[in-house]
Amino acid sequence: MPRRRRPRTETAHQLLVAACAAHLRDLKRVHRAPPPDLAIPSVAIPARLHGPDPASYCSSPAAMCAELAQ
């Protein structure tokens, strides 16, 4: 009975795939935040969003959004 051949580990292709994956992880980590010399514009965010009037007749979220937009 012939013996099973041992599986190949760390072939050139597998090493290349691992190196590319590591490089991609590094790129994602570096580019996660903007460069330090880039001025980030501040955006005004409303302190509070008011809901619909208490006398509102809408019951669906879409109708409430439409009513708030008016």
Side-chain angles (χ1 to χ4, degrees), residues 4-41:
R4 274 185 64 178
R5 187 174 59 141
R6 226 175 94 193
R8 290 186 286 179
T9 57
E10 295 190 2
T11 62
H13 178 72
Q14 290 171 332
L15 290 173
L16 183 63
V17 168
C20 287
H23 182 62
L24 183 60
R25 279 193 307 272
D26 288 342
L27 285 174
K28 286 181 179 178
R29 180 181 49 81
V30 168
H31 292 290
R32 188 175 303 144
D37 59 345
L38 178 69
I40 300 173

Side-chain angles (χ1 to χ4, degrees), residues 1 3 8 14 19-21 29 32 35 39 42-43 48-50 52 57 61 66:
M1 183 176 216
R3 290 180 58 191
R8 290 186 286 179
Q14 290 171 332
C20 287
R29 180 181 49 81
R32 188 175 303 144
S42 61
V43 178
R48 180 176 174 174
L49 293 175
H50 297 283
Y57 58 88

